Amino acid sequence: MNNVKRWNYILIIFLSIATISIQSCSKDDDAAGPQPNPNTDTPGTTGGDTGTDSGTNGDGGSITLYKIDGDKIIKEKDYKVTGKLLEFQKDTKKHEEIWDLVKKIVPPDYRSRMSEFVIFAGENDGTAGYVVERTQDLSKWQMGIAIDFAYQGGFNAGGELAYTIVHEFGHIITLDKVQVDSSVSQGDCKNFFTGEGCSRDNSNINKLYQNHWADIWEEFRKVNNESDAQKFYDKYKERYITQYASTNPGEDIAEIFATFVTRAGGVNGNSRAEKKIQMMYDNAEMIKLRNYIRGNISKSSRSFLPLPGSWKNANTFGNKNKTHCGIHKH
């Protein structure tokens, strides 16, 4: 009997630790740069700046959680909010308007990779949007959009919201199960390790890392603050399409995709940054996505994409460090 009690006690402790781990993991920074392991030379992780967990209230600013069902979003949960956030929660027409813009950007067959859509308020930390995986195998993702940001100066003013959606969509298509194998640990990964898993040999993010990051990786690992980040960017400026892209490979490829989509013309010159854009033009899948998005622009009664490099975060740095459960945020 004593043995039974002892094993029950051990089981309770184990479950408690597991629960705490899951809760803390869901609140990690979405920041995404490599997280160097002192015992390995394997590349680290990817992502964006500090974000917030969509499933939390208070600091998280979550308003409404939707389930994605094809072209539709079905309300799953209203979070307990007050004041201005309650007004945002009740204005479901705005939720639908934001979702309609997402549909213009994310094709139906890619939308099936998104299982959840969250309306939240980003005023606390300046978060405009984020994505986070919802399944361990990276087959399903959640996208969150800040409603206060979406209507700042009017709906999609300056194309900022559309750019954010394109950027976040760029994270999904470069970090999902097609591109990244979540079953491979960092220690066993021979390619770029994104934080979500090990990038596959022919994945876009691994090609980006091998061709444009591997030779400066050791310098990048020494970036510990914004001053370091500025020096790193100034030294390698010709490699990056925006300053924000120098945050880490994850933000770099999301920025490359966003610029590739929003820029009306093709490749401009022979800089390392432009060679990254050329990488997109060399990929039939990326061209198809670009045509879908830009095709919807011509069908729209109003333009919804900004000039490349003109979005608000272009001249900022994100947080390069993140963990596996971090939210990729723009």
Side-chain angles (χ1 to χ4, degrees):
M1 182 64 70
N2 288 337
N3 287 336
V4 172
K5 289 182 178 180
R6 184 172 69 238
W7 282 111
N8 285 340
Y9 179 71
I10 292 172
L11 179 61
I12 291 171
I13 292 176
F14 173 79
L15 291 174
S16 298
I17 292 172
T19 301
I20 292 171
S21 297
I22 291 170
Q23 290 175 342
S24 62
C25 193
S26 69
K27 297 184 180 182
D28 285 329
D29 286 347
D30 75 343
Q35 209 172 37
N37 182 333
N39 298 317
T40 178
D41 292 327
T42 304
T45 57
T46 68
D49 357 86
T50 303
T52 178
D53 174 48
S54 65
T56 62
N57 194 17
D59 293 341
S62 300
I63 295 174
T64 301
L65 169 67
Y66 289 94
K67 175 184 177 181
I68 297 174
D69 183 11
D71 286 345
K72 300 177 181 179
I73 50 174
I74 301 170
K75 185 181 292 188
E76 287 275 299
K77 179 180 181 179
D78 276 333
Y79 293 94
K80 292 181 180 180
V81 293
T82 58
K84 185 65 175 177
L85 299 193
L86 183 58
E87 293 179 29
F88 282 139
Q89 189 174 79
K90 291 179 178 179
D91 197 346
T92 56
K93 288 184 178 180
K94 284 186 169 63
H95 301 186
E96 291 289 346
E97 187 172 29
I98 295 171
W99 175 245
D100 284 342
L101 183 52
V102 173
K103 290 191 294 183
K104 285 184 171 72
I105 292 168
V106 183
D109 49 338
Y110 289 85
R111 216 176 299 143
S112 64
R113 304 179 191 183
M114 296 164 53
S115 60
E116 295 174 340
F117 181 64
V118 172
I119 295 293
F120 70 99
E123 59 186 357
N124 289 342
D125 62 3
T127 305
Y130 69 82
V131 292
V132 64
E133 70 273 18
R134 301 310 287 169
T135 57
Q136 188 173 357
D137 69 353
L138 309 180
S139 63
K140 296 294 182 180
W141 292 73
Q142 179 190 95
M143 177 181 286
I145 297 295
I147 190 171
D148 46 350
F149 170 81
Y151 287 88
Q152 196 174 75
F155 180 69
N156 191 37
E160 288 281 327
L161 173 60
Y163 189 97
T164 295
I165 296 169
V166 174
H167 177 103
E168 297 306 331
F169 178 42
H171 279 310
I172 293 177
I173 61 174
T174 55
L175 294 173
D176 71 358
K177 65 182 293 185
V178 177
Q179 299 285 309
V180 177
D181 186 347
S182 63
S183 69
V184 179
S185 67
Q186 183 173 356
D188 293 332
C189 182
K190 305 305 180 184
N191 297 326
F192 181 73
F193 190 80
T194 69
E196 289 76 14
C198 184
S199 59
R200 301 183 190 276
D201 290 345
N202 293 321
S203 65
N204 290 315
I205 198 166
N206 188 54
K207 290 178 182 178
L208 175 72
Y209 171 78
Q210 299 297 343
N211 293 328
H212 300 284
W213 282 84
D215 62 321
I216 56 175
W217 192 254
E218 288 307 311
E219 286 184 71
F220 177 71
R221 288 179 59 166
K222 296 175 183 177
V223 173
N224 294 314
N225 51 52
E226 189 162 332
S227 176
D228 291 345
Q230 187 66 57
K231 291 176 183 177
F232 179 83
Y233 173 69
D234 289 342
K235 183 175 180 179
Y236 297 109
K237 189 174 182 178
E238 66 99 24
R239 295 186 182 222
Y240 301 106
I241 208 70
T242 63
Q243 179 176 304
Y244 190 78
S246 69
T247 298
N248 51 58
E251 293 307 333
D252 192 11
I253 201 162
E255 279 298 273
I256 293 164
F257 178 72
T259 302
F260 165 70
V261 168
T262 58
R263 182 192 285 176
V267 177
N268 299 331
N270 297 313
S271 69
R272 294 290 285 267
E274 292 300 321
K275 287 179 180 179
K276 294 175 182 179
I277 299 295
Q278 183 62 56
M279 182 177 74
M280 293 288 163
Y281 278 104
D282 292 339
N283 187 311
E285 180 187 13
M286 296 298 105
I287 292 176
K288 185 178 179 180
L289 289 172
R290 181 180 188 272
N291 290 341
Y292 175 88
I293 297 169
R294 296 192 67 84
N296 283 333
I297 296 175
S298 63
K299 297 174 186 176
S300 177
S301 60
R302 53 186 170 183
S303 175
F304 57 80
L305 292 178
L307 294 173
S310 66
W311 59 283
K312 294 177 182 177
N313 283 351
N315 298 315
T316 64
F317 296 109
N319 183 334
K320 79 169 196 173
N321 298 307
K322 74 172 282 288
T323 62
H324 167 78
C325 295
I327 299 170
H328 292 277
K329 184 276 281 183
H330 167 65

